[in-house]
Amino acid sequence: CLCVCVCLSVCLSLCLYVSLCVSLCVCVCRCVSLCVSLVCLCAFSACLCLNTSVSCVSPTKMAAAPVDYTYEVSESLLNLGKGHPNGQLLPLDEVAAGFAAAHEHPEMLLQYGPDFGPPELLHHIAAVLRDSGGQPGATEDSVLVTNGSAHGLVLACTVFARAGDTVCVQDPAYFLALPSFQERQLVPVPLPTVMASSNCSRQDRSEGSGGGRTRGSQGCSAGAGGPDLALLESRLESGALTPRLLYCVPFGNNPIGCSMPEADKAKLVHLARKYNFFIVSDEVYMFLCWDAAEDAESTLSKDQQQQQQQ
């Protein structure tokens, strides 16, 4: 009996020892796990603090840093990636006078304006379009003031197209126009640019007052070109292409710099009427074409002429 008791006592001691070892191992594993968790938490906190400090400090540094609006042009390199005019050519005095005049009507400052734009501005824009913009029928009712060309392009896509519609785009195209089409879920289809042969003589292109805006007398420019209308017409006739919109820059195309001939603009309007699609004509550079024809007209003017003929 004594031997049995001794054996049982030894077995119990062994069990207690094994249990103690297991408990010790569990404690060690928990400590290791806790240490790893603490390390990960510290690393995450450090990254979070770093990102927070960057996001909080950067705007402060940017706001505190002086903004340099000077226009520096290197003799060997001119950045054409942005449409920033020469700062010395900006009418800063006129802008300052306009702000000073606005103080005479404080009740209108920082308030919501008319939906289509201030009446005085609409009247002025319509007058410029009639006198120099090749749109003799322009009125205040036909003008809508937008927050830049991108805003106008988004409005056109929203009003005249729906998701999944096709928009023909002259290739290469203005790079900021493509995101507007993609945001509206439109399908852009490129149309290659065809350069037209110019019949203007050097004398025609060089006539005009010294240093002023010269215009060719034969209605063409040294860089005449536009979308391949022959290809467009063939695809329209076959039914392979059924666009809802066609986007083009007929004056001083960006990035090529060519201008669409008058005959091509009339042809494009004819195709749009025949196959029922809208032309989004971005004519922002109409007044910057130095050798454009005197009788150069906007795409809208061509459309109005064809409408009257019908």
Side-chain angles (χ1 to χ4, degrees), residues 144-160 180 280:
L144 171 64
V145 179
T146 63
N147 297 318
S149 61
H151 182 202
L153 185 58
V154 170
L155 287 178
C157 294
T158 303
V159 174
F160 298 111
S180 300
V280 182

Side-chain angles (χ1 to χ4, degrees), residues 208-288:
S209 57
R213 178 180 178 180
T214 61
R215 290 175 176 266
S217 61
Q218 298 186 22
C220 56
S221 65
D228 191 342
L229 298 184
L231 175 62
L232 173 63
E233 185 174 15
S234 64
R235 298 188 66 183
L236 291 172
E237 289 179 350
S238 64
L241 185 62
T242 56
R244 183 61 177 171
L245 302 176
L246 185 144
Y247 174 77
C248 63
V249 184
F251 293 95
N253 174 276
N254 184 357
I256 298 177
C258 62
S259 295
M260 190 182 303
E262 297 300 301
D264 285 5
K265 281 186 281 188
K267 177 68 173 179
L268 179 59
V269 170
H270 171 73
L271 293 176
R273 285 184 165 275
K274 182 177 180 180
Y275 294 98
N276 193 28
F277 62 86
F278 293 97
I279 301 174
V280 182
S281 185
D282 192 350
E283 301 178 359
V284 63
Y285 303 118
M286 181 175 184
F287 300 105
L288 298 180

Side-chain angles (χ1 to χ4, degrees), residues 82-136:
K82 299 180 179 180
H84 289 177
N86 192 322
Q88 298 178 356
L89 301 179
L90 296 177
L92 300 182
D93 294 337
E94 289 79 356
V95 172
F99 276 107
H103 285 279
E104 299 177 0
H105 304 280
E107 70 280 0
M108 298 299 296
L109 293 178
L110 304 179
Q111 301 293 338
Y112 290 108
D115 294 337
F116 291 90
E120 297 83 358
L121 180 59
L122 297 177
H123 177 76
H124 177 72
I125 294 176
V128 171
L129 293 176
R130 288 193 302 268
D131 298 339
S132 305
Q135 299 183 28

Side-chain angles (χ1 to χ4, degrees), residues 149-200:
S149 61
H151 182 202
L153 185 58
V154 170
L155 287 178
C157 294
T158 303
V159 174
F160 298 111
R162 295 293 182 268
D165 287 345
T166 299
V167 52
C168 293
V169 183
Q170 182 178 346
D171 185 24
Y174 176 46
F175 71 101
L176 289 181
L178 299 179
S180 300
F181 303 140
Q182 295 172 351
E183 290 174 359
R184 306 308 304 173
Q185 298 182 7
L186 303 181
V187 181
V189 175
L191 289 176
T193 298
V194 177
M195 300 301 295
S197 60
S198 173
N199 294 323
C200 295

